Amino acid sequence: MQTYLINLDKDKERLAAADVQLKKLGVDYERFPAVYAKELPQAERDASVNYFRWWCCLGRKILLGEIGCALSHYRLYQKMIIDNIPYACILEDDIILKDNFKETVDKVDKWLNSSESQVVLLSNHTNEPEGKEGIGEIQNGLCTESYIITLPAAKALLKENFPIKVPCDYWARWVKHGAIKLYLAMPSVCTQNFDGFVSNMADSANIQSVKNMNFVLRFIHSAKRAIGISLDSLFCAMEK
């Protein structure tokens, strides 16, 4: 299976750490350059984001790290389309791989139906208990550090979320919209290295927590969220 590792040019330590793990497990991979949103021209950033829909869905401004993350994955999806790659394993560089990673990927490779719009998560950011084993269909999940995606799913996600309306890991949204079928390979074979690296989403510290707002601000925030969610639902219905 074709495996891609998304990595910023400046993050050489992350690349080295991931490279050691992948080579140890005998996994051939291709480095894919991540998008550093801070260096993108403003015009290109603006063309890549639907700011109003983002506000409707999340009730706040989009972060540069969220733009960079989404564009990194979506540019890789575009590569899959151009090169007609039927499916691929996509990894981010802040990963910790378990010893059975390659074995699980090989199992998914044999199980996968590349003609269907499928995404198989290799990390468990869901409500599924870790005691399970196999590949099971799920309705929700978060994070994009390790997953396998088919070409039809890549095309569907580009259609659904480019320009960017929500974070690229809102898998439940696209399951609900019928754009993809979502699966989880269990037991999970990858986790994020939260301790070894500083997150590229560090600007999230600038987001004000709702619990820290006073009563008036919370009321205004709740009203805005109700309006935004209603508008998003209306737009989604019109897009079908």
Side-chain angles (χ1 to χ4, degrees), residues 22-227:
L22 289 163
K23 285 181 176 177
K24 178 182 177 182
L25 297 174
V27 178
D28 295 326
Y29 74 95
E30 178 180 334
R31 177 187 174 271
F32 188 82
V35 175
Y36 193 36
K38 290 182 180 179
E39 295 181 350
L40 284 180
Q42 186 66 47
E44 187 173 352
R45 289 209 302 263
D46 290 345
S48 301
V49 180
N50 187 326
Y51 292 102
F52 179 67
R53 290 292 297 278
W54 181 280
W55 176 86
C56 288
C57 295
L58 277 81
R60 61 169 175 81
K61 294 181 179 180
I62 191 171
L63 305 175
L64 286 175
E66 291 168 323
I67 296 175
C69 181
L71 289 182
S72 298
H73 287 265
Y74 292 163
R75 287 186 180 181
L76 187 42
Y77 297 170
Q78 290 168 340
K79 175 180 173 60
M80 290 178 65
I81 294 170
I82 292 170
D83 295 345
N84 196 31
I85 299 170
Y87 53 92
C89 176
I90 298 178
L91 304 173
E92 294 176 346
D93 57 10
D94 57 342
I95 49 173
I96 298 176
L97 301 177
K98 298 182 180 179
D99 291 340
N100 59 336
F101 174 82
K102 188 175 187 300
E103 177 185 346
T104 297
V105 170
D106 290 342
K107 288 180 180 178
V108 176
D109 194 344
K110 295 176 182 178
W111 171 90
L112 204 66
N113 185 344
S114 61
S115 65
E116 292 189 355
S117 184
Q118 296 180 333
V119 174
V120 182
L121 305 181
L122 302 174
S123 302
N124 188 7
H125 299 280
T126 73
N127 296 322
E128 297 295 319
E130 277 291 335
K132 291 187 176 182
E133 187 170 345
I135 303 168
E137 187 170 2
I138 56 176
Q139 301 302 312
N140 65 80
L142 291 171
C143 295
T144 52
E145 77 264 19
S146 61
Y147 63 98
I148 293 167
I149 185 170
T150 63
L151 182 56
K155 292 178 179 178
L157 292 179
L158 282 173
K159 182 179 179 181
E160 284 280 326
N161 200 37
F162 190 84
I164 304 163
K165 305 180 187 76
V166 295
C168 63
D169 64 351
Y170 272 31
W171 301 114
R173 179 182 178 90
W174 301 307
V175 171
K176 181 180 178 180
H177 291 184
I180 63 169
K181 288 188 176 181
L182 186 65
Y183 301 87
L184 176 65
M186 292 290 285
S188 59
V189 292
C190 179
T191 58
Q192 283 182 288
N193 188 353
F194 293 108
D195 298 324
F197 301 111
V198 176
S199 172
N200 283 323
M201 297 290 185
D203 50 355
S204 62
N206 295 324
I207 299 175
Q208 184 180 11
S209 173
V210 175
K211 67 181 180 180
N212 294 329
M213 296 177 181
N214 60 40
F215 175 79
V216 174
L217 289 179
R218 281 202 303 271
F219 177 81
I220 294 172
H221 176 78
S222 297
K224 287 181 177 179
R225 294 300 298 122
I227 294 170

